[in-house]
Amino acid sequence: MAQRADTVALRTDFSLLIDGMLEQSEQFLDVIDPALGTIFARCPAARSSQLERAVAAARRAFPAWRARSFADRAELVKRLSRELRGKQNELAELLTREQGKPLAQSVAEIDRGAAQSDGMVGIEIPVEVLADDDDKHIELRYRALGVVGIITPWNAPVNLALGPLVSALYTGNAVILKPSPYTPLTTLKLGEIMQDIFPAGVVNVLAGGDELGAEMTQHSGIDKISFTGSVATGKKVLASASATLKRVTLELGGNDPAIVMGDVDPQAVAKKIFFASFVNSGQVCMAIKRIYAHESIYEPLCAALVAEAKKAKVGNGLDSATELGPVQNKMQYDKIVGLIADTKKAGAKFLAGGDIPAGPGYFLPPTLVTDIADDSRLVQEEQFGPIVPILKFSDVEDALRRANDTRYGLSGSVWTSDVQRGAEIAARLEVGTAWVNQHRTTSAFVPFGGAKESGLGRQYSALGLKSYMEPEVVSVLKR
Ligand code: NAD
């Protein structure tokens, strides 16, 4: 259990942002530093009445915000990314304390969020002329939906807020942003920065528990929910949003396969595959979660991955030598510990990791498992932690069948020296994004999202931006 750090003063310099004003609440959230397992900060948690005021403010602010040009709104977003870069170091330290990831990766998360924000506001959403002749003129226009509720998870709170936030704002919507109760702090600081940039009511930031998220999905004053989180919660969001027929974007969990062909250099690919599996201690929606290795390179690939696992420095993210931080919260830590126990019980072989270190903090070493059945929990479920199975195949058709034999469909990758063949195999993965010789590469210009139960809709690119807008046809009869 988490304990109060009695000797160290709690950080309490956090506020909600409602209608352009910073506010407190009589309710609060205690935030745990996962490297220590102790509470280090306390922030306000919004009451229902505060959500009501935020929605009312957003509705009031929406018409004037929608009326501004894309160029005007882009300027304000660019100011936000400049401010983020200016405050990168202090924000990154807070992000590491609440989330656990190494400081360099917190800096990279903020930097990437700022770069993607700048990229998104460079995308144009023009009026599309569908027909224009002597008789008629038909055009397809896009207009902002209204108020967008954004609900985010705890694994990359800044980046996963900025994607939907900038999409919604740039396209002319007002926003209510709610971070995970495990990692509310950096998002509240983002709110403070935005207070000075956007008109009152255009952006509101409310920390709160799961029930606040549920209230948002039910609220008739919110026109769209952009949700990033687990499949189970995503299904609840969709069900709840149906009562008001809200628009919904769901970015959910994954169980990404990597198919490693027999023609690779195992040493060379192991480094990249290890990083794509274990970055943020495996707590990445699009981390590699199953490695399918061709039998001809299976042994050397396992050995090279084990060497990477043994080298990786696990520790407090504030320590500059750390490469892998703790699991973010006790619930997730307990889940992974249970998964390790189940995997042991099933008789699988642990090539690296498998032992549970003594506390404090929610640390687990990078764990690699072989000799495990396709129907085991570790292969079937989204582990979302530092444990990955390596599975052998001899025929690529069999690898594809097993890779696709899942209800998830976020992303996947193929690793080969024959890039043409790699692209053909990748195209047969049933996913939103299939990479060749890379994994986790995203950009503001490229749509990202899940197939199957990994999501609904796409984020980023013109396709993603248009999902924050209602298409409207204007059809004119000329005579
Ligand atoms: P979660 O579903 O438990 O919580 C996500 C958010 O939803 C939190 O803010 C939470 O307070 C809120 N919430 C909980 N119950 C709710 C309800 N009934 N109605 C509305 N909101 C509710 O997810 P998590 O554990 O925070 O995040 C981990 C999951 O997120 C993993 O499955 C991961 O793969 C997924 N994820 C997906 C992407 C993507 O882009 N596809 C990115 C990151 C994480």
Side-chain angles (χ1 to χ4, degrees):
M1 282 303 287
Q3 289 158 8
R4 179 72 40 83
D6 289 327
T7 48
V8 185
L10 289 186
R11 257 192 86 166
T12 56
D13 55 319
F14 304 99
S15 307
L16 312 174
L17 176 64
I18 301 173
D19 200 10
M21 303 296 285
L22 298 179
E23 284 193 18
Q24 294 301 310
S25 165
E26 337 41 280
Q27 298 178 171
F28 59 85
L29 293 169
D30 280 334
V31 182
I32 291 171
D33 178 338
L36 305 174
T38 53
I39 295 164
F40 80 102
R42 171 174 285 187
C43 72
R47 285 170 282 118
S48 301
S49 58
Q50 288 174 305
L51 173 63
E52 288 305 328
R53 284 200 290 109
V55 173
R59 295 224 74 85
R60 275 195 306 277
F62 169 59
W65 182 243
R66 172 177 60 178
R68 290 172 80 152
S69 67
F70 275 91
D72 266 8
R73 294 192 297 254
E75 272 317 303
L76 297 190
V77 169
K78 285 184 199 159
R79 232 179 96 191
L80 170 62
S81 38
R82 276 199 302 278
E83 292 279 328
L84 285 174
R85 289 193 180 99
K87 295 196 162 78
Q88 198 172 48
N89 289 340
E90 64 184 91
L91 289 172
E93 190 177 328
L94 183 61
L95 179 55
T96 289
R97 285 220 71 189
E98 66 174 338
Q99 204 286 329
K101 66 181 64 181
L103 203 48
Q105 284 167 30
S106 291
V107 170
E109 176 174 338
I110 294 162
D111 206 38
R112 189 160 154 229
Q116 290 192 322
S117 301
D118 286 346
M120 272 189 284
V121 300
I123 298 171
E124 291 186 11
I125 310 288
V127 173
E128 296 164 33
V129 176
L130 304 180
D132 189 40
D133 55 32
D134 291 345
D135 295 325
K136 60 187 179 305
H137 178 87
I138 306 176
E139 57 187 35
L140 177 57
R141 300 175 153 271
Y142 295 89
R143 63 184 152 77
L145 288 169
V147 177
V148 176
I150 299 171
I151 301 174
T152 59
W154 44 257
N155 61 322
V158 176
N159 204 19
L160 296 173
L162 282 172
L165 178 78
V166 169
S167 304
L169 291 176
Y170 174 52
T171 52
N173 299 279
V175 165
I176 316 283
L177 168 61
K178 187 201 92 69
S180 163
Y182 292 110
T183 52
L185 305 177
T186 322
T187 310
L188 291 175
K189 289 293 170 198
L190 188 64
E192 285 181 33
I193 294 170
M194 292 193 290
Q195 183 194 23
D196 296 331
I197 300 176
F198 295 97
V202 166
V203 193
N204 304 272
V205 184
L206 304 182
D210 297 353
E211 66 297 336
L212 185 70
E215 282 179 53
M216 287 168 67
T217 64
Q218 289 154 16
H219 204 294
S220 59
I222 295 181
D223 303 284
K224 167 169 176 137
I225 294 287
S226 181
F227 172 83
T228 308
S230 62
V231 171
T233 311
K235 288 179 180 175
K236 289 187 200 164
V237 168
L238 186 60
S240 171
S242 72
T244 46
L245 222 62
K246 279 181 187 39
R247 278 43 181 166
V248 171
T249 298
L250 301 175
E251 294 282 348
L252 309 179
N255 193 5
D256 284 15
I259 298 179
V260 190
M261 303 296 283
D263 60 2
V264 299
D265 171 355
Q267 296 289 340
V269 297
K271 218 178 184 52
K272 293 180 186 173
I273 291 176
F274 182 82
F275 187 74
S277 304
F278 289 97
V279 63
N280 202 16
S281 296
Q283 302 163 110
V284 177
C285 56
M286 52 176 150
I288 293 174
K289 293 179 179 133
R290 297 173 287 156
I291 301 170
Y292 292 93
H294 189 264
E295 59 186 357
S296 62
I297 47 89
Y298 179 79
E299 296 295 342
L301 183 70
C302 286
L305 287 168
V306 168
E308 293 296 327
K310 298 249 155 91
K311 252 187 355 217
K313 172 98 177 59
V314 179
N316 189 321
L318 294 176
D319 176 348
S320 61
T322 294
E323 292 166 303
L324 301 177
V327 172
Q328 199 280 325
N329 59 67
K330 183 73 165 60
M331 180 195 66
Q332 189 65 17
Y333 172 86
D334 288 342
K335 181 184 150 186
I336 303 297
V337 168
L339 196 52
I340 291 172
D342 268 14
T343 305
K344 278 187 178 159
K345 218 185 287 165
K349 191 165 155 193
F350 283 69
L351 297 184
D355 295 326
I356 315 297
Y362 309 138
F363 291 102
L364 291 170
T367 301
L368 289 161
V369 173
T370 59
D371 300 353
I372 183 162
D374 282 356
D375 63 359
S376 62
R377 275 186 66 203
L378 181 59
V379 176
Q380 290 296 315
E381 293 180 12
E382 180 189 42
Q383 61 273 53
F384 217 63
I387 174 167
V388 176
I390 313 173
L391 304 126
K392 197 189 289 185
F393 74 89
S394 50
D395 170 20
V396 72
E397 291 302 322
D398 179 51
L400 270 169
R401 184 191 54 75
R402 291 157 72 193
N404 285 333
D405 185 19
T406 167
R407 66 197 177 98
Y408 292 102
L410 191 56
S411 33
S413 53
V414 179
W415 300 76
T416 173
S417 53
D418 181 348
V419 291
Q420 177 61 39
R421 174 102 176 97
E424 286 163 16
I425 298 166
R428 293 175 60 199
L429 286 171
E430 295 164 2
V431 293
T433 306
W435 290 286
V436 177
N437 294 331
Q438 57 179 342
H439 202 109
R440 275 183 80 238
T441 320
T442 60
S443 131
F445 307 99
V446 179
F448 183 79
K452 299 182 180 173
E453 292 194 11
S454 285
L456 203 61
R458 293 293 182 270
Q459 212 75 260
Y460 302 110
S461 77
L463 191 65
L465 290 176
K466 285 176 184 170
S467 73
Y468 290 81
M469 307 185 86
E470 191 67 49
E472 179 181 9
V473 170
V474 177
S475 183
V476 178
L477 189 60
K478 289 184 177 172
R479 52 185 179 186

